[in-house]
């Protein structure tokens, strides 16, 4: 039988841990037939004597273990606990769960069903239908939680996961084993966000199950808001920057910028120095820039998807020209509208040009390249559709 361990980190939870263990042992575990359920309390030598309470509970139930260590923060406690659960307890799946009864234990069977359906990580979510944060939380705590989640979703551009900071989760051990080398950095509450983000980035399947978060009645929250906010912002911004640098986007932008310079310089050479007709000079310089963009994007930006078969190039290059023609239409329309409404001055022309490029040409051409020319997105869209279909 597969084994599941409920990992409960504790720091001064003497008044809560016994109640939670009683509920798990008496009411929840007997309902679960297809997992051998165990409890691991990860205590950081709580001065209130939480460990003594746990040792007493261990006399009554044989499926409880205690792991004691130095206090280094919530994330560090979880990493230690997950290691212990795998190595010492043979866990296949583990739960993250607060000791203070904030996480409704009745949801555990539902989490396990999702794991059995094939999900790698199940997130207990407060910000979806059927979930909530406590009404009696102070306004600061509410704003802190709501905006914290919003910032994470916006900066990481991952909108389809709604609760990033929550500490109620079920995780297949393979996820932890794979992510562990990158987890040491955030030892505090930011661990939750970084863990979920890395799991998604690594392609693990994640789903959400709603739950109502109940405010603790005994003891105090250990969150230090300033440190948490600082850590969280640091994580999301650095992680996003790294993602951008590693995605083809930056290479695409550099290539496009040089392409633009090629266009401008050769236009001057053809029309100014060689005395060609301006229309012909413009067309020739634009085509040179298109050839540059196609070649460099093919071998560098989208190098993983590069087109090398000459016959295919013969098909793709005209397509690429067609996409570029779209950019040209966008620019001429925007510049025309800009000068029409704001006057035909250098400022308006240049501002319209930049506006057109930043807001329309870049999103347009980058998506067209990814979807139609190098088919980098098309493939993942298709496989997602296929997954859904069957
Ligand atoms: N071992 C150990 N070491 N346990 C800790 C530590 C630590 O440094 N810090 C906190 N804990 C334990 C607490 O004893 C509790 O069981 C659990 O971790 C959650 O801590 P709380 O102090 O109750 O956190 P909270 O209720 O304010 O925060 C909840 O919401 C956050 C954000 O929405 C938790 O669910 C967090 O996990 C979540 O990130
Ligand atoms: Mn709590």
């Amino acid at each position: 039988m597969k084994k599941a361990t409920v990992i409960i980190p504790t720091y001064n939870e003497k008044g809560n841990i016994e109640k939670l263990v009683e509920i798990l042992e008496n009411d929840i575990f007997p309902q679960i037939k297809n997992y051998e359920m165990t409890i691991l309390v990860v205590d950081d030598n709580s001065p209130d004597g939480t460990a003594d309470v746990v040792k007493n509970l261990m006399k009554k139930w044989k499926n409880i273990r205690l792991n004691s260590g130095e206090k280094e923060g919530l994330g560090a406690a979880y990493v230690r606990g997950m290691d212990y659960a795998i190595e010492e307890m043979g866990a296949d799946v583990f739960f993250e769960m607060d000791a203070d009864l904030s996480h409704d234990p009745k949801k555990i069977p539902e989490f396990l069903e999702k794991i059995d359906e094939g999900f790698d990580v199940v997130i207990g979510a407060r910000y979806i239908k059927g979930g909530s944060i406590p009404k009696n939380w102070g306004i600061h705590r509410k704003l802190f939680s709501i905006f914290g989640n919003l910032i994470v979703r916006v900066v990481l551009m991952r909108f389809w996961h709604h609760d990033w900071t929550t500490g109620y989760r079920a995780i297949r051990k393979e996820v932890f084993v794979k992510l562990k080398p990158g987890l040491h950095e955030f030892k505090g509450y930011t661990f939750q966000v970084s863990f979920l983000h890395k799991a998604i980035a690594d392609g693990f399947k994640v789903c959400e199950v709603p739950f109502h978060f109940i405010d603790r009645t005994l003891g105090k929250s250990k969150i230090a808001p300033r440190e948490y906010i600082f850590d969280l912002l640091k994580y999301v911004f650095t992680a996003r920057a790294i993602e951008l640098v590693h995605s083809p986007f930056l290479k695409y932008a550099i290539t496009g910028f040089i392409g633009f310079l090629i266009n401008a310089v050769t236009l001057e050479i053809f029309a100014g120095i060689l005395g060609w007709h301006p229309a012909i000079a413009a067309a020739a310089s634009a085509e040179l820039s298109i050839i540059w963009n196609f070649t460099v994007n093919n071998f560098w930006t989208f190098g993983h998807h590069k087109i090398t078969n000459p016959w295919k190039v013969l098909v793709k290059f005209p397509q690429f020209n067609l996409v570029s023609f779209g950019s040209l239409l966008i620019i001429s329309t925007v510049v025309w509208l800009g000068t029409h409404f704001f006057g035909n001055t250098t400022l308006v022309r240049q501002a319209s040009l930049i506006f057109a490029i930043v807001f329309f040409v870049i999103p347009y051409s980058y998506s067209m390249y990814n979807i139609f020319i190098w088919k980098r997105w098309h493939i993942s869209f298709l496989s997602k559709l296929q997954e859904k279909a069957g």
Side-chain angles (χ1 to χ4, degrees):
M1 193 156 39
K2 281 185 286 181
K3 293 180 180 174
T5 303
V6 179
I7 304 179
I8 308 169
T10 54
Y11 194 73
N12 291 342
E13 302 289 358
K14 189 174 141 192
N16 289 312
I17 188 68
E18 184 165 355
K19 244 184 263 170
L20 177 59
V21 167
E22 298 268 352
I23 295 173
L24 289 173
E25 295 284 3
N26 293 327
D27 306 336
I28 309 300
F29 290 176
Q31 297 174 27
I32 299 164
K33 305 288 177 227
N34 53 341
Y35 282 89
E36 185 186 325
M37 300 300 295
T38 54
I39 295 174
L40 170 64
V41 178
V42 185
D43 184 61
D44 291 350
N45 299 324
S46 299
D48 74 346
T50 303
D52 296 329
V53 179
V54 177
K55 280 176 195 153
N56 264 325
L57 292 166
M58 288 164 74
K59 286 179 199 149
K60 191 164 167 195
W61 286 289
K62 296 296 163 220
N63 61 346
I64 304 177
R65 302 284 283 269
L66 171 67
N67 175 263
S68 297
E70 292 292 307
K71 181 162 164 48
E72 287 183 288
L74 182 66
Y78 267 126
V79 171
R80 206 175 80 217
M82 289 173 186
D83 258 333
Y84 187 95
I86 294 173
E87 276 157 31
E88 307 291 327
M89 303 169 76
D92 300 297
V93 177
F94 29 70
F95 280 83
E96 291 184 3
M97 187 178 227
D98 291 357
D100 55 6
L101 298 153
S102 289
H103 297 159
D104 182 1
K106 284 198 211 65
K107 284 277 170 178
I108 287 182
E110 202 178 325
F111 279 59
L112 287 173
E113 275 166 30
K114 290 286 174 195
I115 293 281
D116 291 338
E117 274 173 36
F119 289 100
D120 300 303
V121 180
V122 186
I123 301 289
R126 299 158 298 179
Y127 299 108
I128 57 175
K129 199 165 165 259
S132 64
I133 53 174
K135 295 207 169 44
N136 60 332
W137 260 2
I139 186 75
H140 283 103
R141 179 80 210 247
K142 279 184 184 157
L143 290 177
F144 180 53
S145 182
I146 293 169
F147 279 102
N149 267 293
L150 204 63
I151 287 170
V152 173
R153 290 167 69 194
V154 170
V155 176
L156 296 180
M157 300 245 291
R158 292 238 162 62
F159 298 102
W160 43 95
H161 296 288
H162 303 83
D163 198 340
W164 285 78
T165 54
T166 180
Y168 192 11
R169 300 170 171 193
I171 299 161
R172 264 161 31 87
K173 81 160 190 229
E174 287 78 6
V175 183
F176 173 72
V177 171
K178 176 101 192 278
L179 302 184
K180 198 190 155 192
L183 290 177
H184 52 273
E185 208 180 329
F186 290 96
K187 294 185 174 353
Y189 285 78
T190 306
F191 168 81
Q192 307 289 19
V193 173
S194 63
F195 189 98
L196 178 55
H197 183 227
K198 289 174 202 293
I200 295 168
D202 265 9
F204 287 110
K205 287 173 79 180
V206 180
C207 71
E208 294 179 322
V209 163
F211 81 102
H212 299 288
F213 189 102
I214 300 151
D215 199 14
R216 62 159 77 228
T217 48
L218 288 172
K220 289 199 293 263
S221 165
K222 279 90 203 173
I223 283 187
R226 266 165 210 268
E227 186 196 320
Y228 188 25
I229 293 171
F230 180 79
D231 265 13
L232 193 73
L233 292 177
K234 186 171 144 198
Y235 177 75
V236 291
F237 281 107
T238 37
R240 186 74 193 124
I242 291 168
E243 272 185 354
L244 276 180
V245 170
H246 286 272
S247 88
F249 185 77
L250 193 72
K251 293 177 180 174
Y252 152 88
I254 294 170
T255 308
F257 182 69
I258 297 174
F260 169 77
L261 293 181
I262 289 174
N263 195 339
V265 171
T266 53
L267 174 63
E268 278 317 295
I269 295 175
F270 295 155
I273 301 175
L274 302 179
W276 295 6
H277 188 283
I280 295 176
S285 62
E287 194 55 36
L288 276 182
S289 155
I290 289 172
I291 293 171
W292 158 269
N293 275 311
F294 181 74
T295 312
V296 178
N297 279 327
N298 190 34
F299 288 101
W300 186 49
T301 315
F302 298 100
H304 292 296
H305 303 260
K306 66 172 165 272
I307 305 149
T308 45
N309 179 335
W311 292 110
K312 236 181 149 194
V313 172
L314 230 53
V315 178
K316 286 286 175 181
F317 186 63
Q319 284 180 7
F320 189 85
N321 272 271
L322 206 66
V323 172
S324 306
F325 186 68
S327 299
L328 195 137
L329 284 183
I330 293 172
I331 290 175
S332 75
T333 310
V334 172
V335 172
W336 171 63
L337 285 174
T339 50
H340 179 77
F341 287 110
F342 302 105
N344 191 0
T345 63
T346 305
L347 181 71
V348 173
R349 282 192 301 269
Q350 293 302 316
S352 311
L353 179 64
I354 291 172
F355 183 82
I357 290 175
V358 170
F359 290 100
F360 296 107
V361 172
I362 288 178
Y364 157 77
S365 68
Y366 190 62
S367 338
M368 296 305 259
Y369 295 174
N370 275 289
I371 297 168
F372 295 111
I373 307 291
W374 284 281
K375 302 205 161 170
R376 180 172 157 258
W377 288 352
H378 197 66
I379 293 161
S380 75
F381 284 157
L382 260 188
S383 64
K384 256 179 211 159
L385 282 178
Q386 278 166 347
E387 242 168 55
K388 270 190 191 144

